[in-house]
Amino acid sequence: MIKLFSLKQQKKDGEASPRSGNQKKPSAAQLRIAKDINELNLPKTCNTEFPDPDDLLSFKLIICPDEGFYRTGRFVFSFKVGPNYPHEPPKVKCETQVYHPNIDQQGNVCLNILREDWKPVLTINSIVYGLQYLFLEPNAEDPLNKEAADVLTNNRRLFEQNVQKAMRGGFVGGIYFDRCLK
Amino acid sequence: MGDSQDPLNKRWDHLRKILERPGPFCHPEFEPSPEILDFIMTGCKILVIGAGGLGCELLKDLALMGFKQIHVIDMDIIELSNLNRQFLFRHKDIGSSKAEVAAAFINKRIAGCQVTPHFCKIQDYDESFYRQFHIIVCGLDSIVARRWINGMLISLLNYEDGVLDQSSVIPIVDGGTEGFKGNARVILPGLSACIDCTLDLYPPQITYPLCTIANTPRLPEHCIEYVKVIQWPKENPWGIQLDGDDPQHIGWIYEKSMERALQFNITGLTYRLVQGVVKHIIPAVASTNAVIAAVCATEVFKLATSCCIPMNNYMVFNDVDGIYTYTYEAEKKDNCLACSQVPYTIPIKDPAKYKLKDLIELLCESASFQMKNPGLTTVIDGKNKTLYMSTIKSIEEKTKENLSKSLVDLGLRDNSEVMVADLTSPSTMVLKLKYLVSDVEME
């Protein structure tokens, strides 16, 4: 059992004798993200970019799907990891304009583990796989872009054409999409 | 002699009875003496973090208990809605610093008490500030702030060859309330469960699925979240980030969520609800704050005087229906990211010649590490630095030149800490470099 009253002696006598070379430790979020990043195991369709290698808390993920509706496209996501990671999920935005039922024009992504189903045991890798899955299996049940979801449900051929048109750069449903082919 | 020794001053008689006599519930090593009261009144330095609902109570309790060297830190200013329970503030104080007004009030009201205010964020101070205190008491409403101060006090721990130097421990007494519920806990950093050990106890913030708020809202909260998460960034009416304390911003959110609620035939949306959702307001009850602060102040007293064994270590309180309390021992987590990091000392003979790749080779080849792809990071002058990480191509390319640099050239000094992540260990490991030459010799 620690007896803190004896501390008074120590504080009185050797008041603030800073230990040489003592440095501020990285936060728990830093320690955890270093682990997540060092152990990223990316599928061959995915790549990361760290604009500043000293800042592991903000980076980009590039997904180039090799099958499905979005094959030949190139989609960039920005990741921002906050000080409360892994208690809170990172903030993920899609920076590429995409015609997708679960991604809106502002880059918001509807993926359960990015919000309501996030758990601290999940890692950056889990999110990467979740995002990749969105391109393989767009989900019309929980839409963020309702028009795209309706097309996907009612006419898969038209949906496929719309995706192609958007990726080549052009208007779909009155909205202009920038070219994002690989 | 402090005024505690003045025989004419009867004010402290009740404390003398506790501190100058032994008793059945005393700490086994408690030695009754008049010096202890003197210590409380002259030597013992307490930091109160937060001057809000709990903070006002804590300051009053501690000051009336005889503590005189009190510091209080709070970044907030006083608002009208605080006045019903934050009793150190008056209507004229609205807009002033909570820390400053609270300190001035206590100093005026309680003779001899010297409360020092700090009108800033806890993150604005470094370890030299926090190291001066004997005990830190928190009346916070944020998990981020709790984790920060927890991490700060853990970073002040001193380990000699893996053994904790107990004199480097600064106890945290943490209180929290939510309506009629509250909790109080005692944390001895490095010795007992810390904030990060029990992080799962905090309920996750309420979030709604994005697709629900975008397409199938059913609750008024869904409409408010929609405007906050989607419509604000899109329309950005003032070209700045949403500020929950700005009535103009809240007004805009209220107006837009009302439109959306009408569109989906949702009722029950009020201005107060908008404020609550946007600012994550937790209802506050004055009596709960008073109970929790009293428990915390008692624990501070026990820790400072050793007159009684401190609480072990987590108490929950609930008076929604009758009164319920329960105290149990929250357990320290073996792989806690914050407090299980006992640095592993690595002796370095010649740091001016020892290269980063030599260190990595050691980590991969020595029998006690046997790592596979260690990723190394550190903190230099308060800034994070990635030393080397082979698994990520873009980082590898930018850090590979570090491999052939010496530890000294990389800015690492004697006692510098290097964080190592590797798939062979469940969490990031901390290495402490011990240079076997003095800094003077190196220069």
Side-chain angles (χ1 to χ4, degrees):
Chain A
M1 170 82 64
I2 187 168
K3 189 186 170 203
L4 285 151
F5 180 51
S6 56
L7 269 179
K8 73 169 182 174
Q9 248 40 57
Q10 174 244 335
K11 294 264 166 167
K12 261 186 191 164
D13 307 335
E15 186 78 56
S17 55
R19 280 154 275 147
S20 68
N22 195 18
Q23 54 178 0
K24 195 176 166 302
K25 282 194 187 153
S27 62
Q30 278 287 344
L31 291 169
R32 169 62 194 268
I33 198 72
K35 177 100 182 126
D36 276 22
I37 299 300
N38 195 55
E39 280 160 38
L40 264 186
N41 187 3
L42 298 174
K44 62 180 191 302
T45 52
C46 295
N47 207 346
T48 50
E49 252 173 40
F50 287 80
D52 174 5
D54 292 337
D55 181 9
L56 300 179
L57 300 178
S58 87
F59 59 92
K60 296 198 193 307
L61 170 76
I62 299 110
I63 304 183
C64 301
D66 59 358
E67 55 182 314
F69 293 118
Y70 296 89
R71 170 183 76 249
T72 72
R74 182 178 186 275
F75 306 97
V76 182
F77 290 85
S78 70
F79 280 63
K80 294 241 178 300
V81 181
N84 226 2
Y85 186 77
H87 190 60
E88 282 171 14
K91 291 204 162 36
V92 178
K93 287 261 178 178
C94 182
E95 294 193 337
T96 310
Q97 272 192 312
V98 53
Y99 178 79
H100 192 295
N102 312 109
I103 301 175
D104 72 10
Q105 290 306 298
Q106 280 65 50
N108 295 306
V109 183
C110 189
L111 180 65
N112 61 341
I113 56 168
L114 285 176
R115 285 176 69 87
E116 71 277 10
D117 289 334
W118 170 259
K119 305 237 168 7
V121 292
L122 296 172
T123 64
I124 299 294
N125 232 10
S126 332
I127 298 174
V128 171
Y129 279 93
L131 292 173
Q132 152 145 302
Y133 185 72
L134 277 186
F135 286 105
L136 300 178
E137 291 283 340
N139 175 5
E141 303 279 301
D142 295 320
L144 210 49
N145 179 341
K146 210 165 175 327
E147 293 74 33
D150 290 342
V151 176
L152 176 62
T153 319
N154 300 320
N155 188 343
R156 282 178 80 87
R157 274 299 286 276
L158 180 60
F159 181 78
E160 186 164 12
Q161 286 167 6
N162 283 350
V163 170
Q164 285 300 323
K165 212 193 278 178
M167 292 199 304
R168 279 197 302 269
F171 282 94
V172 178
I175 296 166
Y176 184 78
F177 290 86
D178 288 328
R179 186 181 167 86
C180 65
L181 289 176
K182 215 173 4 184
Chain B
M1 286 278 146
D3 62 343
S4 64
Q5 302 291 306
D6 180 358
L8 296 175
N9 190 344
K10 289 215 165 37
R11 174 153 175 206
W12 307 108
D13 278 359
H14 54 300
L15 286 186
R16 283 212 192 87
K17 285 183 183 127
I18 297 172
L19 300 177
E20 295 174 15
R21 303 195 296 211
F25 300 111
C26 289
H27 190 292
E29 287 174 54
F30 177 65
E31 292 157 26
S33 121
E35 264 179 58
I36 304 175
L37 187 55
D38 232 29
F39 169 61
I40 285 188
M41 297 183 128
T42 55
C44 189
K45 243 179 167 175
I46 310 280
L47 174 66
V48 177
I49 301 182
L54 277 172
C56 284
E57 293 276 356
L58 281 167
L59 287 167
K60 172 258 292 171
D61 291 350
L62 293 169
L64 289 173
M65 260 179 176
F67 290 97
K68 292 192 187 302
Q69 302 273 345
I70 305 174
H71 286 238
V72 59
I73 181 165
D74 196 311
M75 60 185 272
D76 276 344
I77 54 167
I78 298 159
E79 287 178 51
L80 178 67
S81 62
N82 302 146
L83 302 185
N84 69 335
R85 62 192 184 285
Q86 299 177 22
F87 50 81
L88 303 177
F89 311 140
R90 297 291 174 266
H91 197 275
K92 65 171 170 41
D93 300 322
I94 291 172
S96 304
S97 149
K98 286 189 177 180
E100 287 168 2
V101 173
F105 192 107
I106 296 280
N107 290 343
K108 190 168 165 223
R109 182 68 173 263
I110 301 171
C113 194
Q114 297 157 18
V115 182
T116 311
H118 302 271
F119 178 26
C120 60
K121 293 196 283 199
I122 53 172
Q123 291 86 348
D124 292 343
Y125 286 130
D126 64 8
E127 54 192 50
S128 59
F129 175 76
Y130 292 103
R131 188 181 282 134
Q132 66 179 309
F133 298 103
H134 290 93
I135 302 167
I136 294 183
V137 209
C138 302
L140 285 164
D141 59 358
S142 132
I143 298 170
V144 176
R146 281 192 177 87
R147 290 182 74 189
W148 191 90
I149 191 67
N150 183 62
M152 167 56 77
L153 296 184
I154 287 165
S155 78
L156 293 181
L157 297 176
N158 209 357
Y159 288 90
E160 291 296 334
D161 301 321
V163 180
L164 178 63
D165 167 9
Q166 294 207 346
S167 70
S168 65
V169 175
I170 299 177
I172 308 172
V173 179
D174 177 60
T177 68
E178 189 177 307
F180 289 100
K181 294 176 284 185
N183 76 284
R185 63 191 293 188
V186 174
I187 297 170
L188 303 175
L191 294 168
S192 67
C194 78
I195 297 284
D196 265 79
C197 288
T198 57
L199 203 55
D200 345 347
L201 291 181
Y202 297 108
Q205 217 171 57
I206 300 165
T207 46
Y208 307 99
L210 210 50
C211 15
T212 305
I213 63 171
N215 291 299
T216 49
R218 297 179 306 277
L219 302 171
E221 286 88 344
H222 291 156
C223 302
I224 302 166
E225 277 282 314
Y226 176 83
V227 177
K228 181 187 156 192
V229 177
I230 307 218
Q231 216 165 336
W232 180 279
K234 197 158 148 187
E235 302 184 15
N236 213 336
W238 288 279
I240 45 171
Q241 275 217 322
L242 177 61
D243 176 1
D245 291 321
D246 187 328
Q248 215 180 359
H249 290 193
I250 297 290
W252 189 87
I253 302 264
Y254 173 60
E255 208 176 288
K256 299 288 171 184
S257 351
M258 207 56 171
E259 284 171 18
R260 193 166 168 82
L262 284 173
Q263 198 186 328
F264 287 90
N265 285 321
I266 294 167
T267 53
L269 197 138
T270 61
Y271 186 85
R272 282 182 66 111
L273 186 69
V274 173
Q275 273 184 312
V277 172
V278 171
K279 294 178 69 181
H280 301 290
I281 289 181
I282 291 163
V285 173
S287 56
T288 314
N289 284 337
V291 170
I292 294 299
V295 173
C296 290
T298 309
E299 290 308 317
V300 171
F301 184 81
K302 293 199 260 180
L303 286 163
T305 62
S306 296
C307 71
C308 192
I309 295 169
M311 175 210 295
N312 186 25
N313 52 33
Y314 198 115
M315 186 211 75
V316 288
F317 170 82
N318 187 331
D319 65 348
V320 172
D321 198 3
I323 287 184
Y324 172 82
T325 73
Y326 181 67
T327 305
Y328 69 99
E329 183 180 351
E331 281 180 35
K332 200 165 178 293
K333 206 162 127 185
D334 288 336
N335 58 352
C336 171
L337 275 173
C339 75
S340 72
Q341 307 284 342
V342 177
Y344 193 99
T345 305
I346 303 240
I348 308 279
K349 275 207 193 91
D350 192 351
K353 291 213 180 104
Y354 196 86
K355 299 194 167 67
L356 186 66
K357 65 180 172 199
D358 299 328
L359 180 62
I360 293 175
E361 198 180 290
L362 175 83
L363 293 173
C364 294
E365 290 178 9
S366 94
S368 50
F369 295 111
Q370 302 187 39
M371 292 188 177
K372 298 289 177 217
N373 287 308
L376 282 69
T377 55
T378 189
V379 181
I380 291 178
D381 298 330
K383 282 177 72 177
N384 294 305
K385 184 179 168 77
T386 303
L387 294 168
Y388 185 68
M389 211 173 257
S390 65
T391 49
I392 304 291
K393 207 168 143 247
S394 63
I395 299 182
E396 202 277 337
E397 280 167 5
K398 287 175 191 156
T399 56
K400 67 180 170 203
E401 58 177 28
N402 289 342
L403 287 174
S404 48
K405 288 186 186 166
S406 74
L407 300 185
V408 172
D409 289 340
L410 286 166
L412 295 165
R413 286 176 298 183
D414 188 26
N415 285 327
S416 277
E417 289 181 353
V418 175
M419 275 54 70
V420 185
D422 189 76
L423 49 87
T424 54
S425 92
S427 58
T428 303
M429 190 172 178
V430 179
L431 303 180
K432 191 169 183 178
L433 305 175
K434 190 84 202 155
Y435 290 179
L436 302 179
V437 286
S438 73
D439 289 352
V440 183
E441 279 175 64
M442 277 159 45
E443 286 154 14

